[in-house]
Short mmCIF file of all heavy atoms in Angstrom, two decimals:
data_model
loop_
_atom_site.label_atom_id
_atom_site.label_comp_id
_atom_site.label_asym_id
_atom_site.label_seq_id
_atom_site.Cartn_x
_atom_site.Cartn_y
_atom_site.Cartn_z
N ALA A 68 -1.10 110.00 -7.11
CA ALA A 68 -2.34 110.04 -8.05
C ALA A 68 -3.55 109.54 -7.39
O ALA A 68 -4.62 110.08 -7.56
CB ALA A 68 -2.08 109.41 -9.31
N GLU A 69 -3.46 108.47 -6.56
CA GLU A 69 -4.50 107.92 -5.89
C GLU A 69 -5.12 108.89 -4.84
O GLU A 69 -6.27 109.09 -4.67
CB GLU A 69 -4.16 106.48 -5.25
CG GLU A 69 -5.28 106.01 -4.48
CD GLU A 69 -4.86 104.67 -3.72
OE1 GLU A 69 -3.90 104.10 -4.00
OE2 GLU A 69 -5.59 104.47 -2.61
N VAL A 70 -4.18 109.59 -4.16
CA VAL A 70 -4.55 110.61 -3.15
C VAL A 70 -5.44 111.61 -3.80
O VAL A 70 -6.49 111.96 -3.32
CB VAL A 70 -3.36 111.18 -2.48
CG1 VAL A 70 -3.78 112.28 -1.56
CG2 VAL A 70 -2.64 110.14 -1.59
N LEU A 71 -4.86 112.14 -4.94
CA LEU A 71 -5.70 113.16 -5.69
C LEU A 71 -7.07 112.64 -6.22
O LEU A 71 -8.01 113.30 -6.11
CB LEU A 71 -4.86 113.75 -6.84
CG LEU A 71 -3.67 114.61 -6.50
CD1 LEU A 71 -2.97 115.03 -7.75
CD2 LEU A 71 -3.98 115.64 -5.51
N GLY A 72 -7.15 111.46 -6.61
CA GLY A 72 -8.34 110.74 -7.03
C GLY A 72 -9.35 110.77 -5.88
O GLY A 72 -10.58 110.99 -6.13
N ARG A 73 -8.89 110.45 -4.83
CA ARG A 73 -9.76 110.32 -3.53
C ARG A 73 -10.21 111.69 -3.18
O ARG A 73 -11.39 111.96 -2.77
CB ARG A 73 -9.06 109.58 -2.39
CG ARG A 73 -8.90 108.11 -2.69
CD ARG A 73 -8.23 107.34 -1.55
NE ARG A 73 -9.33 107.26 -0.46
CZ ARG A 73 -9.02 106.88 0.70
NH1 ARG A 73 -7.77 106.43 0.96
NH2 ARG A 73 -9.89 106.67 1.66
N LEU A 74 -9.29 112.69 -3.31
CA LEU A 74 -9.76 114.04 -2.99
C LEU A 74 -10.80 114.41 -3.96
O LEU A 74 -11.68 115.14 -3.48
CB LEU A 74 -8.48 114.95 -2.94
CG LEU A 74 -8.59 116.29 -2.16
CD1 LEU A 74 -8.75 116.05 -0.68
CD2 LEU A 74 -7.30 117.03 -2.41
N HIS A 75 -10.62 114.15 -5.15
CA HIS A 75 -11.57 114.53 -6.16
C HIS A 75 -12.87 113.85 -5.91
O HIS A 75 -13.96 114.45 -5.98
CB HIS A 75 -11.05 114.18 -7.49
CG HIS A 75 -11.92 114.69 -8.68
ND1 HIS A 75 -12.78 113.77 -9.40
CD2 HIS A 75 -12.23 115.88 -9.15
CE1 HIS A 75 -13.33 114.51 -10.32
NE2 HIS A 75 -13.01 115.74 -10.20
N GLY A 76 -12.86 112.66 -5.44
CA GLY A 76 -14.13 112.00 -5.11
C GLY A 76 -14.87 112.67 -3.88
O GLY A 76 -16.10 112.75 -3.84
N LEU A 77 -14.03 113.08 -2.98
CA LEU A 77 -14.65 113.85 -1.81
C LEU A 77 -15.28 115.08 -2.28
O LEU A 77 -16.47 115.37 -1.81
CB LEU A 77 -13.47 114.16 -0.72
CG LEU A 77 -13.91 114.97 0.45
CD1 LEU A 77 -14.84 114.21 1.36
CD2 LEU A 77 -12.70 115.52 1.18
N LEU A 78 -14.77 115.81 -3.12
CA LEU A 78 -15.30 117.11 -3.68
C LEU A 78 -16.57 116.83 -4.17
O LEU A 78 -17.59 117.59 -4.31
CB LEU A 78 -14.43 117.83 -4.56
CG LEU A 78 -13.29 118.51 -3.99
CD1 LEU A 78 -12.20 118.86 -5.09
CD2 LEU A 78 -13.62 119.68 -3.35
N ASN A 79 -16.81 115.61 -5.03
CA ASN A 79 -17.92 115.33 -5.81
C ASN A 79 -18.92 114.66 -4.92
O ASN A 79 -20.14 114.69 -5.42
CB ASN A 79 -17.57 114.54 -6.97
CG ASN A 79 -16.98 115.55 -8.03
OD1 ASN A 79 -17.72 116.25 -8.61
ND2 ASN A 79 -15.65 115.54 -8.13
N ASP A 80 -18.44 113.96 -3.87
CA ASP A 80 -19.61 113.08 -3.29
C ASP A 80 -19.97 113.59 -1.88
O ASP A 80 -21.13 113.32 -1.44
CB ASP A 80 -19.02 111.64 -2.95
CG ASP A 80 -18.75 110.98 -4.31
OD1 ASP A 80 -19.33 111.32 -5.30
OD2 ASP A 80 -17.88 110.00 -4.36
N ALA A 81 -19.15 114.36 -1.16
CA ALA A 81 -19.52 114.75 0.24
C ALA A 81 -20.40 115.98 0.20
O ALA A 81 -20.35 116.93 -0.70
CB ALA A 81 -18.17 115.25 0.93
N PRO A 82 -21.39 116.04 1.01
CA PRO A 82 -22.25 117.28 1.13
C PRO A 82 -21.54 118.52 1.57
O PRO A 82 -20.42 118.34 2.08
CB PRO A 82 -23.41 116.77 2.05
CG PRO A 82 -22.68 115.70 2.88
CD PRO A 82 -21.72 115.15 2.03
N GLY A 83 -22.06 119.57 1.19
CA GLY A 83 -21.38 120.77 1.73
C GLY A 83 -21.09 121.76 0.53
O GLY A 83 -21.42 121.50 -0.67
N THR A 84 -20.72 122.89 0.94
CA THR A 84 -20.34 123.94 -0.10
C THR A 84 -18.93 123.88 -0.23
O THR A 84 -18.05 123.98 0.62
CB THR A 84 -20.69 125.37 0.44
OG1 THR A 84 -22.07 125.42 0.84
CG2 THR A 84 -20.35 126.34 -0.63
N TRP A 85 -18.47 123.63 -1.59
CA TRP A 85 -17.08 123.38 -1.90
C TRP A 85 -16.68 124.56 -2.81
O TRP A 85 -17.52 124.95 -3.72
CB TRP A 85 -16.89 122.04 -2.40
CG TRP A 85 -17.12 120.91 -1.54
CD1 TRP A 85 -18.19 120.10 -1.41
CD2 TRP A 85 -16.18 120.55 -0.42
NE1 TRP A 85 -18.11 119.20 -0.30
CE2 TRP A 85 -16.87 119.46 0.26
CE3 TRP A 85 -15.03 120.94 -0.04
CZ2 TRP A 85 -16.36 118.74 1.34
CZ3 TRP A 85 -14.41 120.29 1.10
CH2 TRP A 85 -15.09 119.25 1.78
N PRO A 86 -15.39 124.83 -3.00
CA PRO A 86 -15.02 125.74 -4.08
C PRO A 86 -15.13 125.20 -5.29
O PRO A 86 -15.19 123.86 -5.67
CB PRO A 86 -13.57 126.02 -3.63
CG PRO A 86 -13.16 124.81 -2.87
CD PRO A 86 -14.38 124.35 -2.10
N ASP A 87 -15.30 126.14 -6.35
CA ASP A 87 -15.53 125.55 -7.78
C ASP A 87 -14.20 125.03 -8.34
O ASP A 87 -14.22 124.30 -9.29
CB ASP A 87 -15.95 126.78 -8.68
CG ASP A 87 -17.27 127.28 -8.35
OD1 ASP A 87 -18.14 126.43 -7.84
OD2 ASP A 87 -17.63 128.44 -8.56
N LEU A 88 -12.90 125.43 -7.78
CA LEU A 88 -11.66 124.99 -8.25
C LEU A 88 -10.74 124.77 -7.08
O LEU A 88 -10.62 125.56 -6.27
CB LEU A 88 -11.20 126.10 -9.23
CG LEU A 88 -10.00 125.86 -10.02
CD1 LEU A 88 -10.29 124.77 -11.11
CD2 LEU A 88 -9.53 127.15 -10.76
N VAL A 89 -9.99 123.69 -7.25
CA VAL A 89 -8.96 123.35 -6.33
C VAL A 89 -7.83 122.76 -7.06
O VAL A 89 -7.93 121.95 -7.88
CB VAL A 89 -9.48 122.12 -5.35
CG1 VAL A 89 -8.33 121.76 -4.33
CG2 VAL A 89 -10.72 122.56 -4.54
#
Side-chain angles (χ1 to χ4, degrees):
E69 179 185 338
V70 172
L71 292 181
R73 292 185 68 188
L74 199 62
H75 188 253
L77 174 70
L78 282 169
N79 285 283
D80 296 339
T84 303
W85 296 102
D87 292 331
L88 190 68
V89 176

